[in-house]
Amino acid sequence: MASPHSPDIRFLRICFLLPICLFILFPPRPVLSQCKKLPVIFNFGDSNSDTGGLVAGLGFPVNLPNGRTFFGRSTGRVADGRLLIDLLCQSLNASFLGPYLDSLGSKFTNGANFAVVGSSTLPKYVPFALHIQVMQFLHFKARTLELFSAGSGHLINDEGFRNALYMIDIGQNDLADSFAKNLSYAQVIRRIPTVIMEIKNAVQAIYDQGGRKFWIHNTGPLGCLPQKLSLVQKKDLDPHGCLSSYNAAAVLFNEGLRHLCQEMRSGLKDATIVYVDIYAIKYDLIANSTKYGFSSPLMACCGYGGPPYNYNIRVTCGQPGYQACNDGSQFISWDGIHYTEAANTIIASKILSMAYSTPRIAFDFFCH
Ligand SMILES: *[C@@H]1O[C@H](CO)[C@@H](O)[C@H](O)[C@H]1NC(C)=O
Ligand SMILES: *[C@@H]1O[C@H](CO)[C@@H](O)[C@H](O)[C@H]1NC(C)=O
Ligand SMILES: *[C@@H]1O[C@H](CO)[C@@H](O)[C@H](O)[C@H]1NC(C)=O
């Protein structure tokens, strides 16, 4: 038995007064995600996070070779394999998010995915604009709680909705559509505040329903997409071979989104709003591609036409005549617009590192 004056006990007595000692006595556990509660996630967005919404909603086929890498079949994801949202779900040991519009197979016990390929924030009342996705969520929530109180088990309850993570990844198509309509750079820029306002309205609507935890991705370097590079005639290229004006618009959009998040953090009481700089992660991946093991950062794996971009709008990936590279793990771009699973895996690990998040909060913060 230790005497009351043994050095150990004295050490403990002094030690409890000093925070640094708490680290010695109770070292922090390694960052291995173990949710205490079942993680519930609701996601809103475009093809960057669509896990099958387009196919379910409009019957639009997304053909092989999409899906070839991980799933071995087409799942409706426009990519060879897993998307960022899939990898983030896996980091929590959670199952993949089912598309809200899928009437078969989805049980919606861990949330729902409202993202659909091609979605933007504006115009507001077309399928499946952000506003419509939020309306669908409101319906989903009302209906789920109704069924829950009628005794249906295994559904998300009120607490589940309150503790859920609400993810938003949208804006890329707003910018891309503006450029595609031949708007001048100045005109594209002038539309940005209304797009930001739509994202603000979406967060506010979810907050009004009790949502408190938000995870918002900014938009990637639009001017580095092989599709844009192949379609634009007069190219003003930056040192990494990307379209300067497209990237400048993405940077301005992201500035607006970052400000919005900052503003909402002080305006929305008790809300946690994490802003993630996807642009910085993707631009680094492209600019330093060799360091990450990729050879042609601006060329699509799956498309038509060969170097430099392997993109042809008439023969896109999965359409008759397309050609796909043998090894997608050497490419960043899958089809000229979307990233390969290999790229997404690196991007996801950078997201999980917290280095690109404001504030620096771990992705699993909402399920503890
Ligand atoms: C992940 O889930 C599996 C089964 O669903 C379980 O056996 C395992 O313990 C879980 N791991 C963690 C880290 O939660
Ligand atoms: C945009 O401009 C290009 C080249 O001037 C032209 O070929 C194309 O048809 C225009 N697109 C639209 C939507 O006006
Ligand atoms: C490329 O990597 C270098 C060294 O890590 C870094 O300083 C630079 O910011 C990266 N480029 C981009 C565009 O992120």
Side-chain angles (χ1 to χ4, degrees):
M1 245 188 164
S3 91
H5 301 291
S6 79
D8 285 12
I9 301 262
R10 258 182 289 140
F11 169 74
L12 283 178
R13 277 202 196 126
I14 298 161
C15 202
F16 267 106
L17 302 171
L18 302 169
I20 184 77
C21 287
L22 292 176
F23 273 85
I24 299 165
L25 294 170
F26 308 107
R29 280 179 303 159
V31 269
L32 196 152
S33 173
Q34 245 165 342
C35 285
K36 298 232 166 55
K37 297 174 285 215
L38 174 77
V40 175
I41 298 175
F42 295 101
N43 180 69
F44 305 85
D46 53 29
S47 57
N48 288 314
S49 58
D50 180 348
T51 53
L54 180 75
V55 177
L58 300 178
F60 248 73
V62 176
N63 301 324
L64 274 165
N66 287 291
R68 73 175 188 181
T69 301
F70 182 78
F71 302 97
R73 64 185 175 89
S74 167
T75 61
R77 289 167 177 79
V78 191
D80 59 329
R82 287 166 293 180
L83 309 178
L84 289 178
I85 184 145
D86 297 318
L87 296 159
L88 293 175
C89 282
Q90 284 190 317
S91 79
L92 303 174
N93 210 7
S95 47
F96 295 139
L97 278 194
Y100 162 73
L101 293 166
D102 212 344
S103 46
L104 291 171
S106 290
K107 292 199 205 75
F108 304 118
T109 47
N110 68 322
N113 191 358
F114 297 87
V116 175
V117 171
S119 295
S120 44
T121 67
L122 296 167
K124 196 170 169 151
Y125 297 101
V126 299
F128 291 97
L130 179 60
H131 178 73
I132 301 279
Q133 293 183 23
V134 172
M135 304 262 281
Q136 291 176 324
F137 165 72
L138 298 184
H139 173 69
F140 176 91
K141 186 183 176 202
R143 193 75 187 112
T144 301
L145 294 179
E146 203 176 279
L147 291 169
F148 185 80
S149 59
S152 295
H154 310 299
L155 287 176
I156 299 164
N157 59 15
D158 200 45
E159 196 197 344
F161 280 103
R162 234 179 309 119
N163 291 326
L165 186 68
Y166 294 89
M167 298 179 69
I168 300 178
D169 185 334
I170 204 156
Q172 181 174 318
N173 291 323
D174 286 282
L175 296 176
D177 294 348
S178 303
F179 279 115
K181 280 188 207 136
N182 283 348
L183 296 189
S184 69
Y185 176 73
Q187 287 171 314
V188 173
I189 296 313
R190 232 174 287 139
R191 292 187 74 223
I192 289 177
T194 50
V195 175
I196 300 291
M197 187 55 75
E198 281 307 309
I199 297 176
K200 179 181 182 169
N201 292 341
V203 173
Q204 182 74 51
I206 296 164
Y207 180 88
D208 291 345
Q209 284 283 316
R212 289 294 176 270
K213 293 152 185 179
F214 297 89
W215 190 269
I216 300 178
H217 287 177
N218 76 5
T219 201
L222 187 67
C224 301
L225 300 182
Q227 182 214 33
K228 305 302 170 206
L229 284 159
S230 81
L231 292 179
V232 171
Q233 303 299 321
K234 279 184 289 171
K235 301 192 209 331
D236 54 333
L237 300 180
D238 72 9
H240 304 297
C242 306
L243 297 165
S244 301
S245 58
Y246 281 54
N247 278 358
V251 166
L252 278 178
F253 169 83
N254 290 341
E255 266 305 291
L257 188 60
R258 198 175 57 80
H259 270 112
L260 170 67
C261 291
Q262 209 172 348
E263 178 196 306
M264 291 190 303
R265 252 173 241 128
S266 46
L268 302 179
K269 196 168 166 288
D270 299 328
T272 304
I273 298 166
V274 183
Y275 167 86
V276 189
D277 194 355
I278 300 294
Y279 185 100
I281 300 175
K282 288 184 171 174
Y283 198 44
D284 172 42
L285 199 61
I286 289 159
N288 293 307
S289 57
T290 39
K291 190 175 95 186
Y292 293 104
F294 298 107
S295 44
S296 313
L298 304 177
M299 189 162 108
C301 159
C302 183
Y304 184 78
Y309 306 123
N310 194 35
Y311 184 88
N312 184 313
I313 196 158
R314 268 164 298 203
V315 190
T316 56
C317 183
Q319 298 305 313
Y322 79 87
Q323 284 157 2
C325 67
N326 288 327
D327 186 2
S329 72
Q330 301 196 341
F331 285 76
I332 292 175
S333 182
W334 165 243
D335 62 355
I337 305 171
H338 307 97
Y339 287 65
T340 57
E341 173 168 298
N344 283 336
T345 303
I346 295 171
I347 298 164
S349 74
K350 296 216 171 210
I351 294 172
L352 293 169
S353 79
M354 293 188 266
Y356 297 84
S357 297
T358 312
R360 291 201 177 195
I361 290 180
F363 178 67
D364 62 1
F365 77 100
F366 68 102
C367 56
H368 285 302

